[in-house]
Amino acid sequence: MSVAAVTLRSMSVPVSVSLAADTADEPVRRSRPALSPSRAADFKQCPLKYRLRAVDRIPEPPSRAAVRGTVVHAVLEDLFGLPAADRHPQRAAELVPGAWDRVRADRDDIDQLVAAGGPEALFEEVRRLVESYYELEDPTRFEPHALEERVEVDLAGEIPLRGFVDRIDVAPNGLLRVVDYKTGRAPGPLHEARALFQLKFYALMILRTRDIVPAQLRLIYLADKVLLTYAPDREELERFERILIALWQAILEAGRTGDFPPNRNAMCRFCDFQSLCPEFGGTPPPYPGWPQQDSAPVELGLPDVRPPEDV
């Protein structure tokens, strides 16, 4: 596969203003429910899973895959912090221990995930994924506009959307590309809709914050070296906006009634909440109620660490 072109020649919509310029100094609002791509997907997949994650805030044990993905993201962020000429594969490999130290410092419950093989075994897994990145893009040939960008918008004036974007590129001709890294395998045809859902979510937030339709959105699947690209248009994003509005209304109604029914499906085998799910003989905890506007600070839409499906 050829290295991705960095001039974004196929793009057609210019951007003329910094995406972070007018929000970087504002305090992050954390006291009301919000919707992120992951939490929206949770509710669509299983309302009970959404409730246990977003309302009850029940801790989930970290997985090796999630920790590995977080370290890969940290390495790629550090890589783009270097001068372009220094972003070669050997230097990227050298960044892995430092990225691991930062991730480990933020979480005190992940040492057991590397106890058997030690951190070096994890480091080697991370290095292989980072090496794959070089077969898809050449990081020495462009400067990203933003890294790990937190994007927020109130949709329709009342639906708070939240999300982290791994990278935003602005081409010399002013065209915008949104990039997200994935350390899992690329989805097959039956599961591409979930990946496109996340891309459309990001595109809609950019549209509503800047009145710009991103010319390209790109998912980079490192495990099998696949690029998934999407070129949105305004009409499609407006239709997607109506879908999110309806989804949010359904979430609010569930929050009002406390009715978050389980939905048994193929993803249940990966769920950490089976012991609390009636479909598996469990009992959910008493419903704590929907958070009020003046409740203690919570962030229902954006978890503290990226869930496995986001890495």
Side-chain angles (χ1 to χ4, degrees):
M1 185 174 298
S2 62
V3 173
V6 297
T7 55
L8 315 188
R9 296 181 181 87
S10 64
M11 299 187 177
S12 59
V13 181
V15 55
S16 58
V17 63
S18 169
L19 295 175
D22 62 351
T23 60
D25 296 329
E26 294 182 2
V28 176
R29 293 171 294 174
R30 300 178 61 85
S31 62
R32 56 176 176 158
L35 199 61
S36 71
S38 295
R39 297 295 76 81
D42 283 347
F43 190 84
K44 285 159 57 69
Q45 177 189 321
C46 175
L48 179 60
K49 180 179 182 180
Y50 172 90
R51 186 207 123 174
L52 296 175
R53 269 184 169 171
V55 182
D56 296 76
R57 302 283 287 175
I58 295 176
E60 297 174 74
S63 71
R64 187 183 181 90
V67 171
R68 181 176 60 232
T70 303
V71 176
V72 169
H73 278 76
V75 170
L76 292 175
E77 182 180 7
D78 291 347
L79 182 68
F80 281 105
L82 299 174
D86 294 339
R87 298 175 197 153
H88 48 78
Q90 181 179 350
R91 186 70 182 94
E94 294 169 354
L95 295 172
V96 174
W100 159 251
D101 287 341
R102 291 209 321 277
V103 172
R104 184 170 177 264
D106 289 338
R107 295 290 299 266
D108 57 7
D109 55 353
I110 63 174
D111 283 344
Q112 69 275 16
L113 295 175
V114 299
E120 280 301 328
L122 179 70
F123 292 175
E124 184 57 31
E125 296 170 21
V126 171
R127 289 187 181 110
R128 284 198 297 268
L129 289 167
V130 174
E131 286 173 5
S132 296
Y133 170 70
Y134 283 86
E135 297 188 36
L136 302 170
E137 290 186 329
D138 181 354
T140 69
R141 298 179 60 193
F142 65 97
E143 291 293 338
H145 175 77
L147 299 170
E148 292 294 328
E149 180 87 346
R150 182 183 176 110
V151 183
E152 307 186 21
V153 61
D154 286 347
L155 194 65
E158 58 184 16
I159 304 173
L161 304 186
R162 306 287 185 266
F164 275 116
V165 179
D166 288 339
R167 199 181 84 216
I168 297 174
D169 301 331
V170 178
N173 57 3
L175 304 177
L176 183 147
R177 175 172 66 193
V178 176
V179 179
D180 196 69
Y181 310 116
K182 298 294 185 186
T183 54
R185 296 198 173 277
L190 296 179
H191 300 286
E192 282 189 0
R194 181 182 178 91
L196 291 177
F197 181 90
Q198 181 181 2
L199 290 179
K200 291 177 184 179
F201 198 103
Y202 291 148
L204 178 61
M205 286 196 291
I206 297 296
L207 174 62
R208 290 307 177 219
T209 53
R210 301 294 168 173
D211 195 30
I212 295 169
V213 176
Q216 186 185 94
L217 298 103
R218 169 176 290 183
L219 284 173
I220 300 179
Y221 289 93
L222 300 174
D224 42 13
K225 307 172 187 177
V226 170
L227 295 178
L228 178 62
T229 60
Y230 167 63
D233 62 61
R234 184 178 291 266
E235 290 184 1
E236 182 177 9
L237 293 181
E238 289 173 347
R239 290 194 299 271
F240 184 72
E241 180 177 43
R242 293 192 289 271
I243 291 173
L244 287 188
I245 290 172
L247 179 65
W248 183 249
Q249 291 171 344
I251 290 174
L252 289 182
E253 178 61 16
R256 183 185 67 81
T257 63
D259 183 19
F260 291 86
N263 176 35
R264 190 160 188 155
N265 59 77
M267 299 301 293
C268 290
R269 67 184 185 274
F270 303 113
C271 183
D272 292 319
F273 300 123
Q274 288 189 13
S275 64
L276 301 175
C277 178
E279 291 292 323
F280 294 88
T283 302
Y287 179 53
W290 192 251
Q292 301 301 310
Q293 295 290 349
D294 57 352
S295 63
V298 293
E299 178 65 66
L300 298 182
L302 202 59
D304 294 330
V305 295
R306 293 175 183 268
E309 65 268 24
D310 276 358
V311 297

